[in-house]
Amino acid sequence: EVQLVQSGTEVKKPGESLKISCKGSEDIFSNYWISWVRQLPGKGLEWMGRIEPTDSSKSYSPSFRGHITMSVDRSISTAFLQWSSLKASDTAMYYCAIHSGWYFRSWGQGTLITVSS
Amino acid sequence: SYVLTQPPSVSVAPGQTAKITCGGTNIGSGTVHWYQQKAGQAPVLVIYDDTDRPSGIPGRFSGSNSGNTATLTISGVEAGDEADYFCQVWDGSGDQLYVFGTGTKVSVL
């Protein structure tokens, strides 16, 4: 079974920067796109964006474009999601997920981010 | 952007059948995928491409898609099926490429 392991819980202040990670096997990064999905507390799932690991091409949801940056380091089989200036409204659970088509076949365990002054 | 509407909640007795709908304009012209999310856990794919089950997903889970409604059916519901369920489609017509439904909480009585 494909495994994605995400970095741990973060507690940050508004305005701070943050980079979270999602590590998979080398095979995953050769064959699958990686998306990030946000889940606000008690709410549904929102697609944030997608990155293609072989050429790092990206597509961002209009709701998140300009506020987040996705990247990948194939040498360590890890994808990243980063913010340069967090807001309280970024408090949520964030999931990475892999897909080779139009659905998300495997998900990371999630990274909880709390942004509070 | 494309909108997928699900009922907020569905209640079902053990052993009965739960049907979870996902409504969207002409949703039947594309393919729908379904995820199960148990409390405190990450989502898990249970149905893809309208009707297919990943390995490890019980045959009690099935899907259909036609017209303006897709449906996830759970036959012989068990207590362990209590979870939130989300439908999802790919929308190539806009920038929001992947759209999730609003989610349905399935409660086993």
Side-chain angles (χ1 to χ4, degrees):
Chain A
E1 182 180 331
V2 171
Q3 295 259 337
L4 297 171
V5 179
Q6 297 186 229
S7 50
T9 298
E10 300 276 0
V11 179
K12 307 292 282 187
K13 289 180 167 43
E16 292 187 332
S17 62
L18 177 64
K19 192 173 188 178
I20 63 173
S21 65
C22 170
K23 183 173 176 59
S25 70
E26 182 177 351
D27 180 61
I28 293 173
F29 278 65
S30 297
N31 295 288
Y32 298 108
W33 296 328
I34 298 165
S35 277
W36 290 91
V37 176
R38 183 177 79 173
Q39 188 168 37
L40 296 171
K43 301 298 184 182
L45 304 171
E46 303 172 86
W47 179 75
M48 303 173 70
R50 178 188 79 190
I51 186 166
E52 207 288 316
T54 56
D55 64 5
S56 292
S57 61
K58 308 174 190 71
S59 296
Y60 291 102
S61 161
S63 300
F64 296 92
R65 189 178 296 132
H67 186 53
I68 60 167
T69 302
M70 297 181 298
S71 60
V72 64
D73 186 336
R74 292 188 66 191
S75 68
I76 55 172
S77 302
T78 302
F80 300 96
L81 177 65
Q82 67 182 85
W83 295 258
S84 59
S85 181
L86 286 161
K87 305 174 184 178
S89 56
D90 292 319
T91 294
M93 182 71 81
Y94 293 84
Y95 295 100
C96 61
I98 59 166
H99 51 115
S100 57
W102 317 127
Y103 57 88
F104 305 101
R105 60 190 301 151
S106 187
W107 298 64
Q109 85 278 16
T111 296
L112 179 63
I113 297 173
T114 301
V115 184
S116 175
S117 54
Chain B
S1 61
Y2 195 65
V3 175
L4 296 174
T5 303
Q6 299 179 234
S9 62
V10 168
S11 296
V12 59
Q16 298 304 302
T17 296
K19 289 185 178 292
I20 304 157
T21 58
C22 175
T25 302
N26 202 26
I27 194 174
S29 67
T31 55
V32 178
H33 322 290
W34 291 90
Y35 305 87
Q36 175 195 68
Q37 186 179 32
K38 296 182 179 180
Q41 298 184 21
V44 172
L45 179 71
V46 292
I47 292 289
Y48 66 97
D49 292 348
D50 293 338
T51 59
D52 294 339
R53 278 179 290 106
S55 61
I57 300 301
R60 302 182 292 102
F61 290 83
S62 62
S64 64
N65 183 22
S66 179
N68 293 316
T69 305
T71 303
L72 174 68
T73 301
I74 312 173
S75 304
V77 166
E78 301 176 356
D81 297 331
E82 186 162 286
D84 293 322
Y85 292 84
F86 297 91
C87 57
Q88 176 253 314
V89 301
W90 178 77
D91 179 19
S93 66
D95 289 341
Q96 187 66 19
L97 298 179
Y98 302 89
V99 179
F100 289 96
T102 50
T104 298
K105 170 68 175 180
V106 171
S107 298
V108 181
L109 302 173

